[in-house]
Amino acid sequence: MKPLEQALHDYLCVRRSCGYQLREPEGLLGDFVAFLQSEGASCVTRQLALHWATQPAKVQPFRWAQRLAMVRRFAIWLSAIDPRTEIPAADLLPYRQRRKPPHIYSDEEIARLLRQAEQLPSPKGLRAHTYTTYFGLLVATGMRVNEALGLDRPDVDLKLGILHIRRAKFGKSRYVPVHPSTVEALKKYAESRDRIFPAPSTTERLTPKEVRS
């Protein structure tokens, strides 16, 4: 393993030992190290860091700033073992992401969405029921999209009316109580699912793989 590759490996190990997952930084920093090697560089320089960060042409400028920030954190760590390392200035690319105002769906829009979901074609007749239940669950609980998609059967307690959200944002978990009407909707969905898929491909996932694919 080459010195820069070894340094990146050690950097990721140290940060992961502190609880960071670093899925995206691992890939991008790996690409950055490969870029340095293609340029014949044996250390991080401000010029090459800036060049790499601004390579993607069809992205918003804040994305360049994010890429450079990842390199900067790596460079700060690397400078402790390689004094040749140049740390990019924090304000070198001062772009910030401008988020679009969130859209709050009206009751009419939600009803229209559910009506459209009810029309989804399905070989076994469950897809429409799955999506109407899924969208209804999001509306009733305010859960994040991935939280609802990640629900397994053991996470749904229909007796107590509680959902167990695991692996949520920042790796945390929580319990979400739901209204009795939501419990009834989930019960009806579970009955239909188990009738149509009495022998699912997995005994854990709340929604059959055949429907989600």
Side-chain angles (χ1 to χ4, degrees):
M1 187 178 293
K2 297 181 180 180
L4 280 172
E5 293 175 347
Q6 182 64 57
L8 176 58
H9 173 76
D10 295 342
Y11 168 75
L12 295 172
C13 287
V14 169
R15 293 204 64 196
R16 281 176 173 146
S17 69
C18 296
Y20 295 96
Q21 296 184 354
L22 304 177
R23 293 191 184 95
E24 184 181 28
E26 179 178 15
L28 288 176
L29 289 176
D31 181 70
F32 173 63
V33 167
F35 168 76
L36 291 177
Q37 293 172 340
S38 70
E39 294 291 321
S42 59
C43 64
V44 176
T45 68
R46 296 183 185 90
Q47 181 179 359
L48 288 177
L50 182 62
H51 185 190
W52 176 82
T54 56
Q55 274 186 343
K58 297 181 180 180
V59 298
Q60 295 294 324
F62 82 87
R63 186 58 178 163
W64 294 341
Q66 287 180 331
R67 287 164 61 89
L68 187 62
M70 293 181 192
V71 171
R72 185 172 187 275
R73 283 189 286 269
F74 175 48
I76 291 173
W77 179 87
L78 186 60
S79 65
I81 58 177
D82 186 349
R84 300 175 302 162
T85 302
E86 296 180 2
I87 302 174
D91 59 351
L92 189 56
L93 290 176
Y95 301 108
R96 293 185 178 181
Q97 182 177 8
R98 296 182 179 180
R99 298 183 180 274
K100 294 181 179 180
H103 176 76
I104 300 177
Y105 285 80
S106 66
D107 291 345
E108 180 182 351
E109 288 174 320
I110 294 170
R112 188 163 63 247
L113 175 63
L114 294 178
R115 286 196 297 269
Q116 290 296 318
E118 289 174 349
Q119 305 304 315
L120 288 173
S122 175
K124 294 182 178 296
L126 187 61
R127 181 172 283 115
H129 198 177
T130 295
Y131 279 95
T132 53
T133 303
Y134 168 66
F135 290 137
L137 185 62
L138 293 178
V139 172
T141 63
M143 296 167 58
R144 297 182 179 91
V145 170
N146 286 339
E147 291 175 347
L149 290 175
L151 285 172
D152 292 336
R153 296 189 185 205
D155 299 330
V156 181
D157 190 329
L158 295 178
K159 292 183 179 180
L160 297 178
I162 295 177
L163 306 179
H164 184 197
I165 310 302
R166 298 178 292 111
R167 303 180 301 274
K169 193 173 183 179
F170 304 119
K172 296 183 178 180
S173 299
R174 71 180 190 278
Y175 292 97
V176 176
V178 294
H179 191 271
S181 60
T182 304
V183 173
E184 287 303 312
L186 291 174
K187 284 182 178 178
K188 290 181 180 179
Y189 171 74
E191 291 171 357
S192 298
R193 175 202 62 203
D194 294 341
R195 184 178 63 255
I196 297 173
F197 290 95
S201 56
T202 173
T203 59
E204 293 296 317
R205 186 61 63 183
L206 181 67
T207 306
K209 177 181 178 181
E210 293 86 344
V211 176
R212 294 181 288 112
S213 60

